[in-house]
């Protein structure tokens, strides 16, 4: 019996070990639900053909054709059907295993690749296949045999971008959507209005952009520096025309990305109030200026005046024309109540409606907007502040101030999207604990590991309540992000972790494999195509102090495939003119002295990581 158990264990170990190494080899992000390695490989060459079954599949087939042409200068023929000796076939069958809209199957064997899925599923099958292709300019295009069955963990996998604080050209917004689609994210939350700029053209209210899209200047440095506030003295602004918005929405739809517009109300509204001051509290409000500083402002939309609601409805009418999304995000966060307390219109509304206080007035505001949008067949999303004073009946809650808002909403039977600050899903926070080595950011730590190890669904929910957690999102607020390169820097590699917690089974989490193999491989790809990203610190060492006369530093690994590690022992910041780490290095310190070892990673294109420090102290003999 003992022997039997022992051999069973050995078997299990063998299979487990094999399954692990199979997925390592493939380095897919997000890691698929099921992956089995086959034998042999499929070779793509000029004689290979791309097959499809119907017009829908043909679109995906064409995407592969385009990719092979652009990346490898290989032009393959398209055909209807799967006949032939070397065929990559896309099909959307009515099979039971592919009931889900986003699930797919991919099988690679010598002579045949088959991708099966419906709509988004087939598209995701293609994304996985693209990740299996060898590097750009490779001589032969071999894909190892494998069979994959995959489906997402969460239906909602979101990424947000704030274009109010800083804005980015349409061409970059499209790139952002490309990044999302390649990693199977499916909801782009476009934060279009805030205190510092109104960025969407509204024909009925032209001053929103004519006035509200421009600020006199912009704050520089961190905003919590108190009296040391500083401004750049340079006007800033711009907006997206309705034509451009349509273009973005259509572009995203073709990549199975839904675009959710956010229009902030009742707070974060200074840009709108600068354009139409009559929408603020009191009888002769304003004038207001589009904000040049970051923060939360006391002037908000008046909840007493009918004109406020009429205007916002007029705005939302045009928004609904532009965005087919069933969800419209109406903000609801950080709306101070000071002005409402002193406003006769708001107080009258409170009385008439029998409301308890200004929190219930905020709830009245949100519920009224919800009713309007529901009447047009749309649903609202709001930040978790919309819980205060009573939740609107059909609202979906975006839980950002930790997990408690999400838990409360799910317990009330409301849908929830988790985007907890405390889980590192604020990509405006810094990626390292070393402040001085990072570019200016809002502060606080949200490193890759923190994002990867977080669990989107909060603990303590019943199984029924679990169902209300639609999914997870990361937010990219841009107070401190003025360039597209910095957007990319803040995004990568954390986007990989987001994709994985949103799509993959939590059981498949393995931090070492994820960071050391898969992230390192995907960063090497970004490195090649010139996308900006943050180079993670050297793998195998953390900032440490060791008390000993000598120490050997072993098994360091570059965080980008193909990258190199350089080090110093003289406390200077290492670079590519220093010693290269190629194997174990022993350092020593004389009695009573210290030795400081610092190591960096430099990527193939020359991007450099922060350094990691190991401090060796040899105490004097007692
Ligand atoms: C909070 S998250 C905000 C934003 C800021 C962000 C900075 C949320 C609903 N409101 O206005 O940009 O923090 O991290």
């Amino acid at each position: 019996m003992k022997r039997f158990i022992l051999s069973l264990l050995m078997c299990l170990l063998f299979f487990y070990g094999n399954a692990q190494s199979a997925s390592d080899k493939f380095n897919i992000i997000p890691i698929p639900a099921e992956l089995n390695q086959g034998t042999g490989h499929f070779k793509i060459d000029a004689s290979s053909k791309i097959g499809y079954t119907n017009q829908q599949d043909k679109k995906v087939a064409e995407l592969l054709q385009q990719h092979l042409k652009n990346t490898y200068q290989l032009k393959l023929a398209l055909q209807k059907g799967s006949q032939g000796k070397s065929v990559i076939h896309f099909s959307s069958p009515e099979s039971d295993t592919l009931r889900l809209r986003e699930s797919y199957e991919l099988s690679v064997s010598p002579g045949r690749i088959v991708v099966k899925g419906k709509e988004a599923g087939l598209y995701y099958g293609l994304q996985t296949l693209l990740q299996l292709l060898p590097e750009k300019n490779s001589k032969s295009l071999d894909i190892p045999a494998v069979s994959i069955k995959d489906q997402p963990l969460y239906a909602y996998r979101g990424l947000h971008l704030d274009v109010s604080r800083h804005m980015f050209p349409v061409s970059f917004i499209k790139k952002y959507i490309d990044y999302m689609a390649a990693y199977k994210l499916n909801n782009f939350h476009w934060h279009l209005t805030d205190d510092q700029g109104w960025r969407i053209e509204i024909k009925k209210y032209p001053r929103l952009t004519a006035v509200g899209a421009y600020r006199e200047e912009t704050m520089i440095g961190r905003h919590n520096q108190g009296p040391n506030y500083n401004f750049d003295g340079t006007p800033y602004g711009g907006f997206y025309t309705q034509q451009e918005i349509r273009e973005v929405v259509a572009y995203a739809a073709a990549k199975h990305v839904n675009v959710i517009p956010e229009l902030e109300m009742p707070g974060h509204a200074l840009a709108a109030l600068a354009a139409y001051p009559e929408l603020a509290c009191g009888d002769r409000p304003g004038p207001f200026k589009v904000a040049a500083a970051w923060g939360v402002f006391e002037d908000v939309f008046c909840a007493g005046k009918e004109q406020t609601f009429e205007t916002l409805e007029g705005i939302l009418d045009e928004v609904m024309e532009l965005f087919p999304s069933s969800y419209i995000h109406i903000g609801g966060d950080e709306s101070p109540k000071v002005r409402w307390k002193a406003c006769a219109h708001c107080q009258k509304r409170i009385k008439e409606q029998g409301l308890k206080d200004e929190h219930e007035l905020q709830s009245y505001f949100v519920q009224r907007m919800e009713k309007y949008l529901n009447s047009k067949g749309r649903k609202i999303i709001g930040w978790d502040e919309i819980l205060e004073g009573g939740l609107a009946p059909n609202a979906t809650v975006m839980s950002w101030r930790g997990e408690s808002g999400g838990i409360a909403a799910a317990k009330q039977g409301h849908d929830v999207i988790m985007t907890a600050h405390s889980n590192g899903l604020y990509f405006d926070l810094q990626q390292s604990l070393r402040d001085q080595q990072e570019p200016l950011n809002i502060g606080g730590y949200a490193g890759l590991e923190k994002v990867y190890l977080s669990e989107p669904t909060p603990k303590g929910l019943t199984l029924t309540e679990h169902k209300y957690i639609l999914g997870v999102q990361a937010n990219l607020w841009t107070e401190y992000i003025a360039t597209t390169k910095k957007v990319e820097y803040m995004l990568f590699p954390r986007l990989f972790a987001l994709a994985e917690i949103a799509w993959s089974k939590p059981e498949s989490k393995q931090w070492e494999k994820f960071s050391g193999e898969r992230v390192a491989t995907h960063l090497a790809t970004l490195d090649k195509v010139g996308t900006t990203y943050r180079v993670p610190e050297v793998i195998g060492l953390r900032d440490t102090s060791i008390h000993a006369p000598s120490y050997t530093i072993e098994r360091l690994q570059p965080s980008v495939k193909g990258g190199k590690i350089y080090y110093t022992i003289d406390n200077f910041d290492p670079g590519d003119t220093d010693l290269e780490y190629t194997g174990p290095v022993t350092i020593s310190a004389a009695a009573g002295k210290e030795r400081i070892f610092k190591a960096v990673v430099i990527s193939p294109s020359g991007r450099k990581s922060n350094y990691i420090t190991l401090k060796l102290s040899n105490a004097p003999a007692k």
Side-chain angles (χ1 to χ4, degrees), residues 393-444:
N394 307 310
T396 296
V397 172
M398 222 168 230
S399 182
W400 73 278
R401 296 172 302 174
E403 296 183 327
S404 57
I407 296 172
K411 288 201 182 294
Q412 293 177 37
H414 281 258
D415 284 345
V416 172
I417 295 157
M418 296 303 299
T419 175
H421 195 275
S422 50
N423 276 350
L425 293 168
Y426 268 55
F427 286 1
D428 54 333
L429 272 60
Q430 81 193 22
Q431 305 187 61
S432 141
L433 291 164
R434 280 177 190 271
D435 199 15
Q436 315 80 349
Q437 288 196 50
E438 286 297 313
L440 173 70
N441 58 72
I442 199 165

Side-chain angles (χ1 to χ4, degrees), residues 5-237:
I5 293 177
L6 201 71
S7 48
L8 189 74
L9 270 177
M10 297 280 280
C11 261
L12 280 175
L13 266 175
F14 177 78
F15 277 116
Y16 183 72
N18 256 7
Q20 291 309 312
S21 55
S23 47
D24 293 351
K25 185 170 168 191
F26 292 95
N27 289 323
I28 298 161
I29 297 179
I31 200 163
E34 245 186 274
L35 183 150
N36 290 295
Q37 190 175 358
T39 43
H41 59 260
F42 181 97
K43 193 180 189 66
I44 305 182
D45 59 30
S47 75
S48 307
K49 299 209 161 57
I50 306 174
Y52 57 88
T53 10
N54 59 36
Q55 283 315 104
Q56 187 71 27
D57 307 345
K58 191 178 175 189
K59 277 196 236 152
V60 183
E62 282 168 349
L63 291 175
L64 177 65
Q65 187 187 40
Q66 198 61 44
H67 181 88
L68 293 174
K69 192 171 153 238
N70 295 345
T71 316
Y72 311 98
Q73 288 74 49
L74 195 61
K75 175 114 198 339
L76 299 195
L78 284 188
Q79 65 175 29
K80 195 165 162 101
S82 62
Q83 66 282 2
K85 275 213 295 257
S86 170
V87 179
I88 305 165
H89 187 228
F90 291 92
S91 80
S92 42
E94 290 299 317
S95 107
D96 264 5
T97 51
L98 294 168
R99 260 172 307 132
L100 301 170
R101 217 181 55 79
E102 296 186 307
S103 62
Y104 70 91
E105 291 175 9
L106 166 66
S107 115
V108 178
S109 54
R112 189 155 307 266
I113 293 178
V114 182
V115 190
K116 284 187 202 161
K118 290 179 192 140
E119 303 169 47
L122 198 66
Y123 182 81
Y124 291 147
L126 169 68
Q127 299 316 309
T128 298
L129 177 61
L130 296 183
Q131 291 193 15
L132 297 180
L133 292 174
E135 288 179 355
K136 202 178 167 137
N137 305 325
S138 292
K139 286 225 176 58
S140 80
L141 283 173
D142 291 349
I143 306 176
V146 68
S147 128
I148 291 170
K149 283 192 179 142
D150 203 7
Q151 64 190 57
L153 182 64
Y154 293 107
Y156 185 105
R157 305 178 300 280
L159 187 64
H160 150 290
L161 182 65
D162 165 13
V163 293
S164 173
R165 278 60 178 268
H166 285 102
M167 74 178 293
F168 312 97
V170 168
S171 58
F172 182 77
I173 303 293
K174 289 183 178 170
K175 219 173 180 188
Y176 200 76
I177 290 164
D178 291 345
Y179 295 143
M180 291 182 64
Y183 291 94
K184 304 184 175 82
L185 300 175
N186 63 359
N187 278 287
F188 172 44
H189 172 171
W190 203 359
H191 186 84
L192 287 161
T193 74
D194 215 303
D195 300 300
Q196 297 80 6
W198 182 282
R199 307 273 175 242
I200 172 175
E201 177 189 23
I202 301 292
K203 303 234 154 110
K204 193 169 174 191
Y205 300 103
R207 287 174 60 83
L208 285 171
T209 46
V211 176
Y214 301 90
R215 58 178 181 252
E216 277 175 8
E217 56 181 349
T218 302
M219 171 173 263
I220 56 177
R222 257 194 197 143
H223 96 279
N224 55 6
Q225 283 169 348
N228 302 327
Y229 278 178
N230 222 333
F231 293 87
D232 64 2
T234 312
Y236 184 92

